[in-house]
Amino acid sequence: MVSRVIPVDEFDLVIFGATGDLANRKILPGLYRRVLAGQIPQGSQIIGAARSDMDAEAFRAQVRGAIEEHVNPAKIVPESVAEFLAMLDYVVIDAKGEGGWDDLKAKVRPDVINAFYFSVAPSLFGDLAERLHKRGIAGPDARIVVEKPFGRDLTSAKALNKALADHFDETQIYRIDHYLGKETVQNLMAVRFANILFEPLWNAQYVDHVQITVAETVGVGGRGSYYDKSGAMRDMVQNHMMQLLCLIAMEPPYHFDPDAVRDEKLKVIRALQSVAPNDMVRGQYLAKGDEPGYLADSEDPESKTESYIALKCHIANWRWTGTPFYLRTGKRLRARTSEIAITFKEPPHSIFDEAEGDWRENVLVIRLQPNEGMNLKMMIKEPGPGGMRLVQVPLDMSFAEALGEEADITDAYERLIMDVIRGNQTLFMRGDEVEAAWAWTDPIIEGWEARGDRPQPYDSGTSGPDDALMLMHRDGRRWREIRE
Ligand code: NAP
């Protein structure tokens, strides 16, 4: 397959927090890969900004190191690295201070696309927005990119929205949820709305239930004190999993247009019912071998923060009433995998005898990682003599195999940054969406806090707490196995 890379227009991108982990692991290597792909025009500038005192040369050396560490060696082409490094510049700026801003203003060209990436703690968003606006560095056409976490509850999310809205219009704000930049997540929309095949069946009449799983093998070691204030509900469910749920459940937008898509997602969030306490299970991983348990990782031996959560959600609208959505996510689980599984109902009447095979429902599995792809489990006749015996087989499509190289080279971050440059907000969360998601999340968290619920311990390397299995068993269903 021929790769189609559409170059973007010339831009100046300022990355606040350019010395940080995210910039070095994801943003800068991603931008390099876009240069390698020929997508970034040569005159563009990428300006790092942080408090660390260094000049542009030292910043280039840092970025060279980041590329060597985080880019596949086969993709490190000296000419492209040199081309990329030549685009880099650096300004020393403290978001809360007054120095460096004139320097930045002198570098940012108003006659090209301007984007400002806030890869810093959210507590600095307001300071950056105010200074960029008041000093006339970011004008009405500039784009502001902000990282998660976007608040830790509705009140703080509203405060962040206001801190940005005081200086910029909503059409300028790009709230990153990198899950939305994943190839398969976007494919979810293509599968649903570019094919006639599934949409007629995409409702409670034909879909028995939906499972969304985001399983990690790592614990929270290293970032325990941060995670302990967050937990799986805030860290994963309120944002990434909610976005996946929206893309599965939303009505077809009238057009693939940012607000049309986001309007439909918002309706799903608003239609989400509150979750009853017995429809959710929270867990905390235990130590395994040399690896500490959650309580040691979090450094609070009394912590009630969950490293695992499973819940059953209902969407109260005409399409979905009667189809439960089961969500689960956790750390230190058996395998690292993210997938969405849509289980269809059985045919209303079987013309085959039970003895004629191991009857199973059709399941459409969308794998987000690893090995992005799709798999449709179908019943067919078992080949060979022996009469009409049925067997379930997968119609399996790995995007890497189907699409070749193009399928695996574009990381979510680089795709989203290119969308920012193109001015396309479709894959970014709108302020009202984020607030609606917190409005659903808050009472659930407040409920377990008020009850003083303790998460259930679970063994590392398993599928999570036993009660999570019961959450489905009692409905006569079962979770899919967690495996790579
Ligand atoms: P980090 O490694 O701690 O980096 C923070 C960056 O902010 C550094 O470059 C730091 O540079 C800069 N900074 C701190 N205080 C500053 C100030 N007063 N003025 C200007 N710059 C300042 O954090 P990170 O992991 O890169 O995360 C950045 C943001 O992305 C956070 O909001 C985080 O929640 C979010 N995020 C990170 C990841 C990830 O994988 N790392 C994933 C999702 C979201 P100096 O010390 O040189 O100023």
Side-chain angles (χ1 to χ4, degrees):
M1 169 157 299
V2 180
S3 129
R4 280 192 300 146
V5 174
I6 302 165
V8 294
D9 292 337
E10 197 171 319
F11 62 85
D12 286 351
L13 168 68
V14 179
I15 305 172
F16 291 100
T19 56
D21 175 67
L22 185 68
N24 281 285
R25 254 180 344 103
K26 290 287 182 187
I27 303 172
L28 291 158
L31 285 163
Y32 160 71
R33 282 190 291 263
R34 292 297 90 205
V35 168
L36 180 69
Q39 197 167 18
I40 299 187
Q42 273 193 345
S44 297
Q45 297 189 91
I46 296 159
I47 305 168
R51 292 167 307 176
S52 299
D53 191 7
M54 64 174 138
D55 59 13
E57 255 337 288
F59 181 56
R60 287 188 191 112
Q62 174 207 300
V63 177
R64 181 187 286 279
I67 292 171
E68 282 163 4
E69 196 175 343
H70 299 294
V71 175
N72 176 348
K75 305 278 177 199
I76 300 184
V77 177
E79 299 75 40
S80 299
V81 174
E83 185 188 340
F84 178 58
L85 296 182
M87 292 177 186
L88 301 182
D89 205 341
Y90 184 81
V91 194
V92 180
I93 281 188
D94 182 340
K96 291 180 174 296
E98 302 309 324
W101 296 99
D102 291 341
D103 198 9
L104 182 63
K105 187 170 182 176
K107 291 181 193 288
V108 176
R109 300 165 297 168
D111 56 340
V112 299
I113 293 165
N114 291 173
F116 299 86
Y117 197 131
F118 294 4
S119 179
V120 294
S123 56
L124 298 176
F125 291 176
D127 295 302
L128 290 175
E130 185 183 338
R131 284 164 176 75
L132 285 172
H133 175 222
K134 289 208 169 143
R135 289 169 178 270
I137 302 170
D141 294 327
R143 287 140 210 191
I144 306 294
V145 187
V146 296
E147 264 299 333
K148 80 162 209 179
F150 202 84
R152 68 181 312 276
D153 53 21
L154 180 57
T155 308
S156 53
K158 279 185 169 168
L160 283 178
N161 274 337
K162 180 170 183 320
L164 296 171
D166 281 349
H167 307 287
F168 300 104
D169 190 74
E170 181 62 34
T171 55
Q172 297 181 264
I173 299 168
Y174 293 72
R175 293 174 194 77
I176 291 233
D177 183 327
H178 71 271
Y179 262 61
L180 290 180
K182 287 179 185 285
E183 186 76 50
T184 333
V185 174
Q186 292 173 60
N187 241 314
L188 211 53
M189 280 188 278
V191 167
R192 285 196 59 195
F193 304 129
N195 298 287
I196 191 82
L197 212 55
F198 296 113
E199 202 50 28
L201 305 180
W202 212 258
N203 55 52
Q205 196 182 345
Y206 294 104
V207 175
D208 177 73
H209 73 278
V210 176
Q211 294 184 27
I212 306 179
T213 301
V214 176
E216 296 177 283
T217 50
V218 292
V220 302
R223 50 195 285 267
S225 56
Y226 159 77
Y227 189 89
D228 208 44
K229 294 188 206 77
S230 166
M233 186 71 171
R234 289 189 171 99
D235 193 48
M236 275 289 176
V237 178
Q238 185 274 343
N239 39 58
H240 306 319
M241 298 185 84
M242 177 82 76
Q243 290 295 321
L244 299 180
L245 181 129
C246 284
L247 294 178
I248 300 165
M250 72 184 188
E251 295 300 317
Y254 74 89
H255 191 250
F256 190 59
D257 153 280
D259 276 328
V261 171
R262 296 185 300 176
D263 286 347
E264 296 305 337
K265 283 174 21 198
L266 180 61
K267 287 183 205 163
V268 174
I269 303 174
R270 291 198 170 141
L272 267 176
Q273 300 288 280
S274 64
V275 179
N278 64 348
D279 278 346
M280 68 186 142
V281 177
R282 296 164 66 236
Q284 260 182 2
Y285 60 80
L286 295 168
K288 186 182 186 187
D290 292 343
E291 302 209 59
Y294 181 81
L295 295 177
D297 271 344
S298 83
E299 296 162 10
D300 173 5
E302 296 291 311
S303 172
K304 291 180 184 161
T305 303
E306 75 287 355
S307 62
Y308 174 99
I309 190 163
L311 26 94
K312 177 161 94 165
C313 308
H314 293 282
I315 300 170
N317 62 19
W318 275 46
R319 187 187 281 263
W320 291 118
T321 293
T323 298
F325 285 67
Y326 298 91
L327 275 49
R328 67 178 161 166
T329 180
K331 298 198 175 283
R332 285 275 192 85
L333 296 178
R334 178 172 291 138
R336 176 173 177 261
T337 179
S338 301
E339 64 164 40
I340 299 162
I342 292 124
T343 301
F344 293 90
K345 290 185 176 170
E346 291 185 5
H349 165 71
S350 174
I351 62 167
F352 304 105
D353 292 337
E354 263 182 41
E356 285 171 337
D358 181 13
W359 184 267
R360 305 259 180 92
E361 315 94 337
N362 296 125
V363 186
L364 175 67
V365 182
I366 298 151
R367 287 189 309 270
L368 309 182
Q369 66 184 26
N371 188 17
E372 299 192 343
M374 255 185 287
N375 178 319
L376 178 62
K377 294 189 190 305
M378 309 253 308
M379 296 303 294
I380 61 160
K381 178 193 167 295
E382 196 175 316
M388 177 59 91
R389 291 189 56 79
L390 300 177
V391 62
Q392 193 179 50
V393 292
L395 269 178
D396 207 350
M397 182 173 78
S398 146
F399 290 150
E401 281 170 26
L403 303 176
E405 214 179 72
E406 180 62 10
D408 65 356
I409 53 170
T410 322
D411 175 87
Y413 272 95
E414 59 201 84
R415 186 174 294 125
L416 291 173
I417 296 171
M418 291 301 101
D419 274 0
V420 172
I421 304 302
R422 286 190 204 99
N424 185 344
Q425 288 183 302
T426 310
L427 299 175
F428 297 85
M429 292 178 293
R430 210 168 52 191
D432 52 0
E433 251 184 282
V434 178
E435 290 186 13
W438 280 121
W440 176 78
T441 314
D442 274 5
I444 299 174
I445 295 177
E446 283 159 12
W448 74 54
E449 282 177 354
R451 293 189 299 273
D453 292 356
R454 278 204 165 279
Q456 297 175 21
Y458 61 92
D459 288 327
S460 292
T462 65
S463 329
D466 290 343
D467 278 8
L469 303 180
M470 288 311 298
L471 188 70
M472 292 201 73
H473 280 187
R474 67 174 197 219
D475 295 344
R477 302 181 175 109
R478 62 193 155 96
W479 291 107
R480 287 169 47 76
E481 208 180 310
I482 294 181
R483 61 188 159 97
E484 285 196 1

